[in-house]
Amino acid sequence: MPLLEIMPIQHQFGLPYILSLMTGDPLKMVIDNARKGVPLLEIVEGLSQDAVVIPSNLNVLAAILPRETLLWKLNMLKVASKFANSHLHAVKAQTLVLSSGRDQLLPSEEEGQRLNRVLPKCQNRSYSGSGHFLLLEDVFDLATLIKGSAFYRRGAHQDYVSDYVPPTPLEFRQIYEPNRLFLLAISSVMLSTLEDGKIVRGLAGIPSEGPVLFVGYHMLMGFELAPMVSNFLLERNIFLRGLAHPVLFIRTKKERLLPPLSQFDTFRAMGAVPVSGTNLYKLLASKAHVLLYPGGGREASHRKGEQYKLFWPEQSEFVRMAARFGAKIVPFGVVGEDDFGEVVFDYDDQMRIPFLRDYIEAVTDELGVRVRTEEDGEVGNQNMHRLGILPKFPGRFYYYFGKPIETEGRRHELRDREQAHELYLQIKSEVEKCIGFLKEKRETDPYRNMLARLSYQATNGSTSQVPTFDI
């Protein structure tokens, strides 16, 4: 303000400033136009015209907005800003703040961080490569962001099940493309079981009509999710609604140690919901295809030497719920994590180091939400922590979906806890059999090694299906 009072109006608006105000980042504009296939000569002509027209409008701008008027407007804005800032703490509504890292007009990123600290229920999404006109950029889609951040509402209260809107083909492609190389590298083998018990390659044995409950082994760090969810959608047009850890959805305190919620937008966009009995009930009632990992975070963050070991709770959590809706239960196993990495620094190692133990406890406390608090021992111990993993030369992922187990007509039978527990143990046994089958059969796969698969695809095309072991 003091500098503005003594500065001539012509000097208050430099050419780079106006150029960014009118058109955004020139370099980004050039790159975006080039991607669209706009001829280079046309791009250069457009920039040249802007460079000529903008300076000629400075005198017009000075006439429209005299210095006195500008000072009055800025002073009014300053007073209003102080009033608004003094009341931000009282805003109880859930808010989503968007900020641009290359905004040449306003300090958007710094302001976004400030608002995130001040507003009680605020989430921040930062776009480091975007300019001031974020909403006008081709790479940004507000509807996609609203869905991914779980801000869409059908009613007065948030409901992760009924509020969900599946991604459009374009949105799915934007999610799929960044993972294409990973999916190509692992060249997943998926097997399913037909009604007559025959094992086939592909997902032909998966029931088309819900409700269906998939119950299986949770691979290290959940690496199996992207190939499985993608293949179900591409091959069978089935959306898997996964029951996921609350860390993907909930923050009871401001983020300090936990990763930002923005890192999990893709999971929410693809249909994940917080794990709870209520959400499982709603999903089965809506005849969805539901993905459940009884081992949860304990399996996905297992210790050294515990790969393919199930850590299921003693209680049959899901059986009676599935029977209530006549859901088909599909047990499945997945192997391949030991061909991609090895745990070398696990939870037990970290808890022996005082400062890491304090860090793990602080992270878990910051989350403020625990799962399976009623369980004792290892299954109930799901503190948040990171693993030290030694990467390996990539192998291959193998999935085996067993024969669907019918619960239709067994509702009254499975009300009995003993009967339900017997079925629970049967399902667990089927998952272990699926894992054992895959571990044995993959030893005979001539394309288990990545180099062998790349050689095959170099000869037969990158999109060709790589063969595997005989079924």
Side-chain angles (χ1 to χ4, degrees):
M1 286 284 290
L3 181 62
L4 185 64
E5 293 174 356
I6 62 174
M7 182 184 295
I9 188 66
Q10 290 84 355
H11 296 162
Q12 293 171 13
F13 301 95
L15 178 58
Y17 180 81
I18 294 296
L19 188 60
S20 68
L21 175 63
M22 299 295 290
T23 62
D25 186 347
L27 179 60
K28 185 175 179 62
M29 184 179 69
V30 170
I31 294 174
D32 288 344
N33 284 332
R35 287 174 178 170
K36 296 176 185 177
V38 179
L40 181 60
L41 182 60
E42 186 176 333
I43 296 174
V44 174
E45 288 178 353
L47 289 175
S48 301
Q49 290 175 1
D50 289 340
V52 171
V53 171
I54 291 174
S56 66
N57 289 332
L58 289 178
N59 291 330
V60 177
L61 180 61
I64 296 175
L65 192 62
R67 179 170 52 193
E68 294 76 12
T69 302
L70 180 60
L71 288 170
W72 175 77
K73 287 180 176 289
L74 289 175
N75 185 64
M76 184 171 60
L77 182 62
K78 183 178 180 181
V79 174
S81 178
K82 286 183 178 180
F83 177 82
N85 284 327
S86 66
H87 289 75
L88 287 178
H89 67 280
V91 178
K92 303 303 181 184
Q94 192 178 12
T95 53
L96 182 63
V97 175
L98 313 181
S99 56
S100 301
R102 302 186 66 180
D103 189 342
Q104 300 177 41
L105 179 60
L106 296 171
S108 298
E109 200 159 35
E110 293 80 0
E111 181 65 5
Q113 294 171 358
R114 185 185 73 87
L115 290 174
N116 188 46
R117 291 191 300 267
V118 175
L119 291 168
K121 297 181 180 179
C122 179
Q123 290 187 39
N124 188 21
R125 296 294 185 274
S126 179
Y127 298 85
S128 58
S130 297
H132 182 69
F133 297 100
L134 173 64
L135 298 180
L136 299 180
E137 295 185 6
D138 290 338
V139 296
F140 180 82
D141 189 302
L142 184 58
T144 302
L145 172 64
I146 290 173
K147 291 192 290 185
S149 57
F151 266 70
Y152 179 73
R153 302 285 187 277
R154 296 184 189 272
H157 303 286
Q158 185 176 46
D159 187 325
Y160 288 102
V161 175
S162 63
D163 289 343
Y164 178 64
V165 179
T168 64
L170 176 60
E171 289 170 339
F172 173 70
R173 190 158 60 248
Q174 291 172 340
I175 294 172
Y176 180 80
E177 286 300 325
N179 297 299
R180 179 183 289 275
L181 289 179
F182 171 71
L183 299 176
L184 180 65
I186 62 175
S187 186
S188 299
V189 176
M190 297 204 174
L191 310 176
S192 60
T193 309
L194 302 178
E195 290 185 0
D196 60 3
K198 182 181 179 181
I199 302 173
V200 295
R201 185 169 185 183
L203 301 174
I206 301 301
S208 300
E209 300 296 327
V212 181
L213 181 61
F214 297 89
V215 183
Y217 170 69
H218 207 358
M219 187 182 280
L220 180 66
M221 303 302 293
F223 287 140
E224 82 282 2
L225 283 169
M228 183 165 58
V229 172
S230 299
N231 275 275
F232 266 74
L233 189 54
L234 292 171
E235 185 176 336
R236 295 296 309 276
N237 195 30
I238 291 175
F239 278 95
L240 281 179
R241 303 296 307 276
L243 291 158
H245 195 284
V247 72
L248 276 65
F249 305 87
I250 301 169
R251 293 291 187 273
T252 59
K253 301 178 182 179
K254 288 297 182 181
E255 296 163 351
R256 296 183 298 109
L257 303 174
L258 287 169
L261 281 172
S262 58
Q263 290 189 10
F264 308 113
D265 283 358
T266 298
F267 291 87
R268 293 188 292 271
M270 293 302 295
V273 302
V275 60
S276 72
T278 300
N279 284 335
L280 176 58
Y281 179 96
K282 291 178 179 179
L283 288 169
L284 294 176
S286 65
K287 300 186 181 300
H289 289 70
V290 187
L291 176 61
L292 173 65
Y293 292 108
R298 179 60 182 85
E299 278 179 6
S301 301
H302 64 67
R303 321 295 195 245
K304 290 179 287 189
E306 292 181 345
Q307 59 267 25
Y308 309 126
K309 181 179 179 181
L310 301 185
F311 291 91
W312 288 22
E314 291 297 325
Q315 301 300 320
S316 50
E317 300 174 311
F318 56 85
V319 171
R320 290 192 293 173
M321 185 81 76
R324 177 168 186 161
F325 295 98
K328 297 179 177 68
I329 300 176
V330 179
F332 72 92
V334 54
V335 303
E337 65 174 67
D338 49 345
D339 282 343
F340 277 76
E342 179 182 357
V343 178
V344 294
F345 191 53
D346 62 16
Y347 176 80
D348 293 336
D349 295 329
Q350 296 174 44
M351 291 300 285
R352 295 190 189 101
I353 302 174
F355 80 90
L356 287 179
R357 181 176 63 247
D358 294 342
Y359 176 80
I360 290 173
E361 292 173 353
V363 170
T364 305
D365 178 68
E366 183 177 315
L367 175 61
V369 179
R370 301 293 296 270
V371 295
R372 291 192 174 135
T373 55
E374 73 284 357
E375 294 288 340
D376 296 324
E378 292 182 307
V379 174
N381 177 20
Q382 297 195 9
N383 289 336
M384 302 301 301
H385 65 284
R386 298 179 183 273
L387 294 173
I389 301 174
L390 181 65
K392 294 183 179 180
F393 193 74
R396 199 173 194 183
F397 284 178
Y398 302 85
Y399 300 75
Y400 175 27
F401 297 91
K403 184 177 180 180
I405 298 173
E406 294 281 354
T407 65
E408 182 70 39
R410 301 181 64 183
R411 178 177 179 180
H412 295 290
E413 171 192 347
L414 293 175
R415 279 182 178 176
D416 181 75
R417 290 186 178 275
E418 291 186 3
Q419 294 280 354
H421 192 64
E422 285 182 13
L423 181 56
Y424 177 75
L425 294 178
Q426 177 191 340
I427 295 167
K428 183 179 180 181
S429 177
E430 289 296 324
V431 172
E432 292 173 332
K433 289 178 182 178
C434 291
I435 294 173
F437 174 84
L438 292 174
K439 289 173 67 177
E440 178 183 351
K441 297 294 289 185
R442 70 172 176 174
E443 298 296 333
T444 64
D445 184 2
Y447 296 98
R448 180 177 174 182
N449 185 278
M450 184 178 178
L451 293 179
R453 298 196 300 274
L454 292 176
S455 176
Y456 180 89
Q457 291 176 321
T459 304
N460 297 275
S462 60
T463 59
S464 58
Q465 186 182 65
V466 181
T468 186
F469 51 76
D470 294 329
I471 302 174

